[in-house]
Amino acid sequence: MDEPQSRQACGLTACDHDERARGRLLRAAADVFDRKGYAAASVREIVEQAGITKPVLYYHFGSKEGMLVAILEEGARLFEQAVARALTCPGSVRQRVAALCEEVYSLFRDNVPAVRVAHALFFGPREGLPAFDFTKFERVLRPAITRLVEEGMATGELREAHPEDVSMAINGVIAGCTDQELNPCGTPVGIDGIHRVLDLIFDGLSATHNEKEN
Amino acid sequence: MDEPQSRQACGLTACDHDERARGRLLRAAADVFDRKGYAAASVREIVEQAGITKPVLYYHFGSKEGMLVAILEEGARLFEQAVARALTCPGSVRQRVAALCEEVYSLFRDNVPAVRVAHALFFGPREGLPAFDFTKFERVLRPAITRLVEEGMATGELREAHPEDVSMAINGVIAGCTDQELNPCGTPVGIDGIHRVLDLIFDGLSATHNEKEN
């Protein structure tokens, strides 16, 4: 009974320890897959980087393939949560669109290796890879944007237009800003930058409106 | 002297034949690299798909690696030409931004396998790959957008704002629209769609401006 007591003494349960080990392994795996590529990555390098033993890796994930699937599933889960948070924000459609862009951008920025690995798999050959439905991300983001756009048109907040075109304009801000984070030579846009770009597309790039307002 | 004469008879020079064979090999290689991945792709499969013999491949490219570099270099050359065409278009900054988006979008749409291969390499591990400077594309596109934005602000056509933010808004349209082409499950935006999305970001998504105008 010594060990549980000492764990309780530092405020951690066995479950907390398990979760920490799992998290460290996932971060190490994303990093090694990103640097070496999935095929060339070794379990040995992942456990060394995580500072955790092989049996713990096999206990949590079963195999290298299990780790890859877990990275993708975990990414999809966090993505879904981030989008849901933005949708339930209070405020105007414009404010919730900003929250949505912020959430997705922050998630990408905080998980660059995992997101790069997902992109490499998405653009690479499918052969020899575990089945993973990459449309999951699109199927979460697209209806969220559409819902905001339709609401904005219904209340008169947004201009009347093809909803898909408005969605594409908003999607473009997310794509353009996250691209900069994933590119080692990119110039990070930052949260303030996203808000400025969104203000521009909501108010219009053309000067005419500006003059009318002032 | 028979062969040159028969080539002249069908209007093709030896140089034309060479160029055609080269183009067919490049398209076949992009397609095979996209489907199988660069590492797993075989020269045999590329020449079979192109309907051209191995010695011709080695004559033009030297090796499989030579083909990959040629695909990327050719892509960078076409990209540079497309951007230059858009910049020299007559018309307003808005019209030239539209031309730029059209040119880049069309180039991507017409070369999906090559663009997917470039993306897979960009997001994948560098080890074992030929050196290729992926910043080439960014270093062509970014100054082109910046030049248009600065001109638009100088003439009063564009709203006063951080030029990088306006560039990011325009870049987002290109990123969002081309992403749809590269994604097998995406919904192609089309040239008309790009123009509608650009109209939206130039005029603003918010309804207030619309009401003022009408």
Side-chain angles (χ1 to χ4, degrees), chain B residues 12-58:
Chain B
L12 292 174
T13 65
C15 185
D16 290 333
H17 276 279
D18 262 13
E19 273 307 299
R20 284 190 171 193
R22 195 176 178 277
R24 264 160 64 187
L25 281 165
L26 279 180
R27 279 189 299 279
D31 193 57
V32 176
F33 291 161
D34 183 29
R35 280 189 293 110
K36 297 282 175 102
Y38 172 67
S42 74
V43 163
R44 187 188 50 74
E45 192 168 352
I46 294 169
V47 294
E48 276 177 14
Q49 183 166 323
I52 283 171
T53 62
K54 268 192 192 179
V56 178
L57 182 147
Y58 290 118

Side-chain angles (χ1 to χ4, degrees), chain A residues 107-123:
Chain A
L107 183 64
F108 274 47
R109 183 198 53 196
D110 297 344
N111 295 277
V112 167
V115 179
R116 282 183 51 89
V117 167
H119 276 72
L121 295 177
F122 176 73
F123 287 112

